[in-house]
Amino acid sequence: MAEGYIHSTESMGTVDGPGIRFVVFTQGCPLRCQYCHNPDTWKLKEGKKVTTESLMKKIKKIKPYIERSGGGITISGGEPTMQLDFTLDLLKKAKAEGLHTAVDTSGFVESAKFKKLLPYLDLVLLDIKTMDDLVHRDLTGVSNQKTLNLVELLEKEKQPYWVRQVIVPGITDDLEKMKEFAKYLQRKKYLEKIELLPYHELGKHKWENLGLEYKLAAVEPPSEKKMAELNAVFKNYKINIA
Ligand code: SF4
């Protein structure tokens, strides 16, 4: 039995992997992304303590719906690798039930640790916040080196993955940098697709409630035109775009 801290669960998730998904949002994150819409997941011990058994009970109840949709379970966060044993145990249990499994991670984890999850994972949703390390440090508080190391691990281990990036006007929407990013991803064999997600301000009130300064207060979501322009970069490089 494994115990861990979670923020919440969602039984009919449709944006964190294929089909309908039971999503577990784990508590605790070592990053401090300026656009984080769940800053209430940051502190590990502020979550709800649960067992993997109790989560599996909930999952089994909706298993037929999940399976009919081609879905599965996704462990998201927060950062699921912060509670590695808990995440590992939940993945093992889900796999034993024959479910499709995914984790959504920032990649801020030692590759050797992440490798333990791979035998029980069908898909990795990897958030590469930006390829520019200086911008990454400013945007998230940490370097992107571990994330890029993880890309190499996923390639080496032939692990299918999707890459996701939030497009923040003035920070991650530079066309030339996006071309560099596409060039980098073009050579990846196990990358199934990339999803560019427009920045939104939905988490802003949570920052205010927590008494935190929301540095992106003046930033507007990107226009549809800008998103189309950036998406086109990946199409040009023949990378599957969501
Ligand atoms: S990695 Fe996710 S949960 Fe952690 S700070 Fe960034 S957006 Fe928030």
Side-chain angles (χ1 to χ4, degrees), residues 48-160:
K48 189 174 141 201
K49 205 172 191 183
V50 296
T51 63
T52 48
E53 277 81 3
S54 67
L55 289 173
M56 283 310 297
K57 260 189 205 165
K58 282 189 182 179
I59 293 166
K60 280 183 202 166
K61 278 187 195 156
I62 60 158
K63 195 179 165 201
Y65 298 102
I66 287 177
E67 288 186 327
R68 235 175 283 147
S69 74
I73 77 152
T74 299
I75 311 180
S76 181
E79 172 51 52
T81 59
M82 249 186 102
Q83 301 181 76
L84 199 78
D85 293 343
F86 175 70
T87 295
L88 178 61
D89 193 57
L90 188 55
L91 289 174
K92 278 185 187 171
K93 285 186 167 65
K95 264 283 137 242
E97 283 292 323
L99 287 160
H100 179 276
T101 57
V103 290
D104 177 10
T105 177
S106 68
F108 189 72
V109 55
E110 299 297 334
S111 290
K113 279 190 183 172
F114 194 86
K115 201 174 168 184
K116 293 182 188 171
L117 304 179
L118 292 182
Y120 309 98
L121 267 179
D122 293 303
L123 179 68
V124 175
L125 308 175
L126 181 63
D127 302 323
I128 302 182
K129 317 272 181 188
T130 166
M131 287 294 287
D132 184 323
D133 195 34
L134 281 180
V135 177
H136 197 279
R137 285 168 192 262
D138 192 46
L139 189 62
T140 71
V142 301
S143 162
N144 63 10
Q145 195 52 57
K146 285 182 181 170
T147 307
L148 300 183
N149 291 346
L150 196 57
V151 172
E152 299 314 314
L153 175 78
L154 300 179
E155 286 290 322
K156 193 169 152 236
E157 298 294 326
K158 303 184 173 144
Q159 169 66 56

Side-chain angles (χ1 to χ4, degrees), residues 29 31-33 36 41-42 78 106 129:
C29 185
L31 274 65
R32 295 292 178 263
C33 301
C36 182
T41 64
W42 288 351
S106 68
K129 317 272 181 188

